[in-house]
Short mmCIF file of all heavy atoms in Angstrom, two decimals:
data_model
loop_
_atom_site.label_atom_id
_atom_site.label_comp_id
_atom_site.label_asym_id
_atom_site.label_seq_id
_atom_site.Cartn_x
_atom_site.Cartn_y
_atom_site.Cartn_z
N THR A 1 -0.59 12.74 -7.08
CA THR A 1 -0.10 14.09 -6.80
C THR A 1 0.86 13.97 -5.60
O THR A 1 0.83 12.97 -4.88
CB THR A 1 -1.26 15.04 -6.44
OG1 THR A 1 -1.94 14.52 -5.29
CG2 THR A 1 -2.23 15.20 -7.60
N ALA A 2 1.68 15.00 -5.38
CA ALA A 2 2.63 14.97 -4.26
C ALA A 2 1.92 14.74 -2.93
O ALA A 2 2.45 14.06 -2.04
CB ALA A 2 3.44 16.25 -4.22
N ASP A 3 0.70 15.26 -2.80
CA ASP A 3 -0.07 15.11 -1.56
C ASP A 3 -1.19 14.08 -1.70
O ASP A 3 -2.13 14.04 -0.90
CB ASP A 3 -0.65 16.45 -1.12
CG ASP A 3 -1.65 17.02 -2.13
OD1 ASP A 3 -1.69 16.55 -3.30
OD2 ASP A 3 -2.39 17.95 -1.76
N GLY A 4 -1.09 13.22 -2.69
CA GLY A 4 -2.13 12.23 -2.96
C GLY A 4 -2.35 11.27 -1.80
O GLY A 4 -1.47 11.06 -0.97
N VAL A 5 -3.54 10.69 -1.76
CA VAL A 5 -3.91 9.74 -0.70
C VAL A 5 -4.40 8.45 -1.36
O VAL A 5 -5.21 8.48 -2.29
CB VAL A 5 -5.02 10.33 0.19
CG1 VAL A 5 -5.50 9.30 1.22
CG2 VAL A 5 -4.53 11.60 0.89
N PHE A 6 -3.89 7.33 -0.85
CA PHE A 6 -4.31 6.01 -1.29
C PHE A 6 -4.92 5.32 -0.08
O PHE A 6 -4.26 5.15 0.94
CB PHE A 6 -3.12 5.23 -1.83
CG PHE A 6 -3.44 3.80 -2.23
CD1 PHE A 6 -4.58 3.49 -2.93
CD2 PHE A 6 -2.57 2.78 -1.92
CE1 PHE A 6 -4.87 2.18 -3.32
CE2 PHE A 6 -2.83 1.47 -2.30
CZ PHE A 6 -3.98 1.18 -2.99
N GLU A 7 -6.20 4.93 -0.19
CA GLU A 7 -6.90 4.33 0.94
C GLU A 7 -7.51 2.99 0.55
O GLU A 7 -7.99 2.82 -0.56
CB GLU A 7 -8.04 5.24 1.40
CG GLU A 7 -7.58 6.57 1.95
CD GLU A 7 -8.76 7.45 2.34
OE1 GLU A 7 -9.59 7.73 1.45
OE2 GLU A 7 -8.84 7.81 3.51
N ALA A 8 -7.49 2.08 1.52
CA ALA A 8 -8.21 0.82 1.43
C ALA A 8 -9.06 0.74 2.69
O ALA A 8 -8.69 0.11 3.67
CB ALA A 8 -7.23 -0.35 1.32
N PRO A 9 -10.20 1.45 2.69
CA PRO A 9 -10.99 1.63 3.92
C PRO A 9 -11.48 0.36 4.59
O PRO A 9 -11.76 0.38 5.79
CB PRO A 9 -12.19 2.47 3.45
CG PRO A 9 -11.75 3.12 2.20
CD PRO A 9 -10.78 2.17 1.56
N LEU A 10 -11.57 -0.74 3.88
CA LEU A 10 -12.07 -1.98 4.47
C LEU A 10 -10.97 -2.80 5.15
O LEU A 10 -11.28 -3.79 5.82
CB LEU A 10 -12.77 -2.83 3.41
CG LEU A 10 -13.97 -2.15 2.72
CD1 LEU A 10 -14.57 -3.09 1.68
CD2 LEU A 10 -15.01 -1.71 3.73
N MET A 11 -9.71 -2.39 4.99
CA MET A 11 -8.61 -3.13 5.61
C MET A 11 -8.60 -2.89 7.11
O MET A 11 -8.73 -1.75 7.56
CB MET A 11 -7.26 -2.68 5.03
CG MET A 11 -7.05 -3.05 3.58
SD MET A 11 -7.20 -4.81 3.23
CE MET A 11 -5.87 -5.47 4.19
N PRO A 12 -8.43 -3.94 7.89
CA PRO A 12 -8.33 -3.75 9.35
C PRO A 12 -6.97 -3.14 9.70
O PRO A 12 -5.99 -3.30 8.96
CB PRO A 12 -8.46 -5.17 9.90
CG PRO A 12 -8.03 -6.06 8.79
CD PRO A 12 -8.39 -5.35 7.50
N ASP A 13 -6.92 -2.44 10.80
CA ASP A 13 -5.65 -1.89 11.28
C ASP A 13 -4.65 -3.04 11.47
O ASP A 13 -5.01 -4.12 11.92
CB ASP A 13 -5.84 -1.14 12.60
CG ASP A 13 -6.61 0.16 12.41
OD1 ASP A 13 -6.54 0.75 11.31
OD2 ASP A 13 -7.27 0.59 13.37
N GLY A 14 -3.41 -2.79 11.09
CA GLY A 14 -2.37 -3.79 11.27
C GLY A 14 -2.27 -4.83 10.18
O GLY A 14 -1.43 -5.72 10.25
N ALA A 15 -3.10 -4.74 9.16
CA ALA A 15 -3.05 -5.69 8.05
C ALA A 15 -1.79 -5.45 7.22
O ALA A 15 -1.21 -4.37 7.25
CB ALA A 15 -4.30 -5.56 7.18
N ALA A 16 -1.39 -6.48 6.47
CA ALA A 16 -0.20 -6.35 5.62
C ALA A 16 -0.40 -5.27 4.55
O ALA A 16 0.52 -4.50 4.26
CB ALA A 16 0.12 -7.69 4.96
N PHE A 17 -1.58 -5.21 3.98
CA PHE A 17 -1.87 -4.19 2.98
C PHE A 17 -2.22 -2.90 3.72
O PHE A 17 -3.04 -2.90 4.63
CB PHE A 17 -3.05 -4.62 2.10
CG PHE A 17 -3.21 -3.78 0.86
CD1 PHE A 17 -2.49 -4.09 -0.29
CD2 PHE A 17 -4.05 -2.69 0.84
CE1 PHE A 17 -2.63 -3.33 -1.44
CE2 PHE A 17 -4.19 -1.91 -0.30
CZ PHE A 17 -3.48 -2.24 -1.44
N PRO A 18 -1.58 -1.78 3.34
CA PRO A 18 -1.82 -0.53 4.07
C PRO A 18 -3.25 -0.03 3.96
O PRO A 18 -3.86 -0.11 2.90
CB PRO A 18 -0.85 0.46 3.43
CG PRO A 18 -0.24 -0.22 2.27
CD PRO A 18 -0.65 -1.65 2.25
N ARG A 19 -3.77 0.49 5.04
CA ARG A 19 -5.13 1.03 5.07
C ARG A 19 -5.19 2.45 4.51
O ARG A 19 -6.12 2.81 3.80
CB ARG A 19 -5.66 1.00 6.50
CG ARG A 19 -7.07 1.49 6.60
CD ARG A 19 -7.54 1.51 8.04
NE ARG A 19 -8.83 2.17 8.10
CZ ARG A 19 -9.92 1.63 8.55
NH1 ARG A 19 -9.90 0.41 9.02
NH2 ARG A 19 -11.04 2.31 8.57
N ARG A 20 -4.20 3.29 4.85
CA ARG A 20 -4.19 4.68 4.38
C ARG A 20 -2.76 5.15 4.24
O ARG A 20 -1.96 5.02 5.16
CB ARG A 20 -4.93 5.59 5.35
CG ARG A 20 -5.06 7.01 4.85
CD ARG A 20 -5.89 7.86 5.81
NE ARG A 20 -6.30 9.11 5.20
CZ ARG A 20 -5.53 10.19 5.10
NH1 ARG A 20 -4.28 10.17 5.55
NH2 ARG A 20 -5.99 11.30 4.53
N LEU A 21 -2.46 5.68 3.07
CA LEU A 21 -1.15 6.25 2.79
C LEU A 21 -1.34 7.68 2.30
O LEU A 21 -2.15 7.91 1.41
CB LEU A 21 -0.42 5.43 1.73
CG LEU A 21 -0.22 3.95 2.06
CD1 LEU A 21 0.31 3.20 0.85
CD2 LEU A 21 0.69 3.79 3.26
N ALA A 22 -0.61 8.62 2.88
CA ALA A 22 -0.75 10.02 2.51
C ALA A 22 0.57 10.55 1.97
O ALA A 22 1.60 10.45 2.64
CB ALA A 22 -1.20 10.85 3.71
N GLY A 23 0.53 11.08 0.77
CA GLY A 23 1.72 11.64 0.13
C GLY A 23 2.41 10.62 -0.76
O GLY A 23 2.44 9.43 -0.46
N ARG A 24 2.93 11.13 -1.86
CA ARG A 24 3.56 10.25 -2.86
C ARG A 24 4.69 9.42 -2.26
O ARG A 24 4.84 8.23 -2.57
CB ARG A 24 4.09 11.11 -4.02
CG ARG A 24 4.63 10.29 -5.17
CD ARG A 24 5.20 11.17 -6.26
NE ARG A 24 4.18 12.00 -6.86
CZ ARG A 24 4.38 13.26 -7.25
NH1 ARG A 24 5.55 13.83 -7.09
NH2 ARG A 24 3.41 13.95 -7.81
N GLU A 25 5.50 10.02 -1.40
CA GLU A 25 6.65 9.28 -0.85
C GLU A 25 6.22 8.18 0.11
O GLU A 25 6.81 7.10 0.12
CB GLU A 25 7.64 10.24 -0.20
CG GLU A 25 8.30 11.18 -1.21
CD GLU A 25 8.80 10.49 -2.47
OE1 GLU A 25 9.49 9.45 -2.37
OE2 GLU A 25 8.50 10.98 -3.58
N GLU A 26 5.17 8.41 0.90
CA GLU A 26 4.67 7.34 1.77
C GLU A 26 4.05 6.22 0.92
O GLU A 26 4.22 5.04 1.23
CB GLU A 26 3.64 7.88 2.76
CG GLU A 26 3.20 6.84 3.75
CD GLU A 26 2.26 7.35 4.83
OE1 GLU A 26 1.73 8.48 4.72
OE2 GLU A 26 2.05 6.61 5.80
N ILE A 27 3.36 6.59 -0.14
CA ILE A 27 2.79 5.59 -1.05
C ILE A 27 3.91 4.76 -1.65
O ILE A 27 3.85 3.53 -1.66
CB ILE A 27 1.93 6.26 -2.15
CG1 ILE A 27 0.68 6.89 -1.53
CG2 ILE A 27 1.58 5.26 -3.25
CD1 ILE A 27 -0.08 7.83 -2.46
N ARG A 28 4.96 5.42 -2.11
CA ARG A 28 6.10 4.72 -2.73
C ARG A 28 6.74 3.73 -1.74
O ARG A 28 6.91 2.56 -2.05
CB ARG A 28 7.14 5.74 -3.19
CG ARG A 28 8.34 5.14 -3.90
CD ARG A 28 9.43 6.17 -4.23
NE ARG A 28 8.95 7.47 -4.59
CZ ARG A 28 8.55 7.85 -5.81
NH1 ARG A 28 8.55 6.97 -6.80
NH2 ARG A 28 8.14 9.09 -6.04
N SER A 29 7.09 4.20 -0.56
CA SER A 29 7.82 3.33 0.38
C SER A 29 6.93 2.21 0.91
O SER A 29 7.38 1.06 1.02
CB SER A 29 8.43 4.15 1.51
OG SER A 29 7.44 4.77 2.28
N ALA A 30 5.69 2.50 1.25
CA ALA A 30 4.81 1.46 1.80
C ALA A 30 4.47 0.41 0.75
O ALA A 30 4.44 -0.79 1.05
CB ALA A 30 3.53 2.09 2.36
N MET A 31 4.22 0.83 -0.48
CA MET A 31 3.89 -0.15 -1.51
C MET A 31 5.11 -0.97 -1.91
O MET A 31 4.99 -2.17 -2.18
CB MET A 31 3.25 0.53 -2.72
CG MET A 31 1.87 1.13 -2.41
SD MET A 31 0.70 0.00 -1.58
CE MET A 31 0.41 -1.20 -2.88
N ALA A 32 6.30 -0.36 -1.90
CA ALA A 32 7.52 -1.12 -2.18
C ALA A 32 7.69 -2.21 -1.12
O ALA A 32 8.00 -3.37 -1.45
CB ALA A 32 8.74 -0.20 -2.21
N ALA A 33 7.48 -1.86 0.14
CA ALA A 33 7.59 -2.84 1.22
C ALA A 33 6.53 -3.93 1.07
O ALA A 33 6.82 -5.12 1.26
CB ALA A 33 7.46 -2.14 2.57
N TYR A 34 5.30 -3.54 0.72
CA TYR A 34 4.24 -4.53 0.54
C TYR A 34 4.56 -5.47 -0.62
O TYR A 34 4.45 -6.70 -0.48
CB TYR A 34 2.89 -3.85 0.31
CG TYR A 34 1.80 -4.84 0.05
CD1 TYR A 34 1.27 -5.61 1.08
CD2 TYR A 34 1.32 -5.05 -1.24
CE1 TYR A 34 0.29 -6.56 0.84
CE2 TYR A 34 0.33 -5.99 -1.49
CZ TYR A 34 -0.17 -6.75 -0.45
OH TYR A 34 -1.14 -7.69 -0.70
N TYR A 35 4.98 -4.91 -1.75
CA TYR A 35 5.29 -5.75 -2.91
C TYR A 35 6.44 -6.70 -2.60
O TYR A 35 6.42 -7.86 -3.00
CB TYR A 35 5.65 -4.89 -4.13
CG TYR A 35 4.51 -4.07 -4.66
CD1 TYR A 35 4.76 -2.83 -5.26
CD2 TYR A 35 3.19 -4.48 -4.60
CE1 TYR A 35 3.73 -2.04 -5.76
CE2 TYR A 35 2.15 -3.71 -5.09
CZ TYR A 35 2.43 -2.49 -5.67
OH TYR A 35 1.42 -1.72 -6.18
N GLU A 36 7.45 -6.22 -1.86
CA GLU A 36 8.58 -7.07 -1.50
C GLU A 36 8.13 -8.20 -0.57
O GLU A 36 8.55 -9.35 -0.72
CB GLU A 36 9.66 -6.24 -0.82
CG GLU A 36 10.91 -7.03 -0.50
CD GLU A 36 11.99 -6.15 0.08
OE1 GLU A 36 12.27 -5.09 -0.48
OE2 GLU A 36 12.55 -6.56 1.12
N GLN A 37 7.28 -7.88 0.38
CA GLN A 37 6.76 -8.87 1.32
C GLN A 37 5.97 -9.95 0.59
O GLN A 37 6.03 -11.13 0.94
CB GLN A 37 5.86 -8.18 2.34
CG GLN A 37 5.18 -9.10 3.31
CD GLN A 37 4.19 -8.35 4.19
OE1 GLN A 37 4.04 -7.13 4.12
NE2 GLN A 37 3.50 -9.07 5.03
N GLN A 38 5.24 -9.55 -0.44
CA GLN A 38 4.42 -10.51 -1.18
C GLN A 38 5.26 -11.42 -2.05
O GLN A 38 4.88 -12.54 -2.31
CB GLN A 38 3.38 -9.78 -2.04
CG GLN A 38 2.36 -9.02 -1.22
CD GLN A 38 1.71 -9.90 -0.18
OE1 GLN A 38 1.08 -10.88 -0.50
NE2 GLN A 38 1.88 -9.57 1.09
N GLY A 39 6.40 -10.91 -2.53
CA GLY A 39 7.27 -11.72 -3.37
C GLY A 39 6.56 -12.15 -4.65
O GLY A 39 5.57 -11.57 -5.06
N GLU A 40 7.08 -13.17 -5.24
CA GLU A 40 6.50 -13.70 -6.47
C GLU A 40 5.57 -14.85 -6.11
O GLU A 40 5.98 -16.00 -6.03
CB GLU A 40 7.61 -14.18 -7.42
CG GLU A 40 8.36 -13.06 -8.09
CD GLU A 40 7.47 -12.21 -8.98
OE1 GLU A 40 6.59 -12.75 -9.68
OE2 GLU A 40 7.65 -10.99 -8.96
N ASP A 41 4.32 -14.52 -5.85
CA ASP A 41 3.37 -15.56 -5.46
C ASP A 41 2.67 -16.19 -6.66
O ASP A 41 1.84 -17.07 -6.49
CB ASP A 41 2.35 -15.02 -4.46
CG ASP A 41 1.48 -13.92 -5.05
OD1 ASP A 41 1.60 -13.63 -6.25
OD2 ASP A 41 0.68 -13.34 -4.29
N GLY A 42 3.02 -15.72 -7.85
CA GLY A 42 2.42 -16.29 -9.04
C GLY A 42 1.02 -15.81 -9.32
O GLY A 42 0.39 -16.24 -10.27
N ARG A 43 0.51 -14.88 -8.50
CA ARG A 43 -0.86 -14.40 -8.67
C ARG A 43 -0.87 -13.17 -9.57
O ARG A 43 -1.00 -12.06 -9.13
CB ARG A 43 -1.47 -14.07 -7.32
CG ARG A 43 -1.84 -15.28 -6.53
CD ARG A 43 -2.62 -14.92 -5.32
NE ARG A 43 -3.75 -14.08 -5.71
CZ ARG A 43 -4.65 -13.61 -4.86
NH1 ARG A 43 -4.56 -13.88 -3.60
NH2 ARG A 43 -5.64 -12.86 -5.28
N THR A 44 -0.75 -13.41 -10.86
CA THR A 44 -0.86 -12.33 -11.82
C THR A 44 -2.24 -12.41 -12.45
O THR A 44 -2.68 -13.48 -12.84
CB THR A 44 0.23 -12.46 -12.91
OG1 THR A 44 1.51 -12.43 -12.26
CG2 THR A 44 0.15 -11.32 -13.91
#
């Protein structure tokens, strides 16, 4: 949803994977950055 929340409560603050994202646009930008940072690691 536009105001949706994606949380990974066990992630420590400052980890590469986001701990909490609020709103579709924050989810989009943070996950795009995370996926780009991960690159093609072959872990499918």
Side-chain angles (χ1 to χ4, degrees):
T1 60
D3 63 345
V5 175
F6 176 43
E7 296 177 301
L10 301 180
M11 292 303 297
D13 290 332
F17 193 86
R19 182 182 172 122
R20 185 176 194 279
L21 303 171
R24 186 183 296 143
E25 295 313 312
E26 185 175 12
I27 293 167
R28 182 185 325 276
S29 63
M31 293 310 293
Y34 177 74
Y35 294 148
E36 184 176 312
Q37 175 186 358
Q38 295 307 299
E40 286 298 320
D41 63 5
R43 286 189 52 178
T44 301

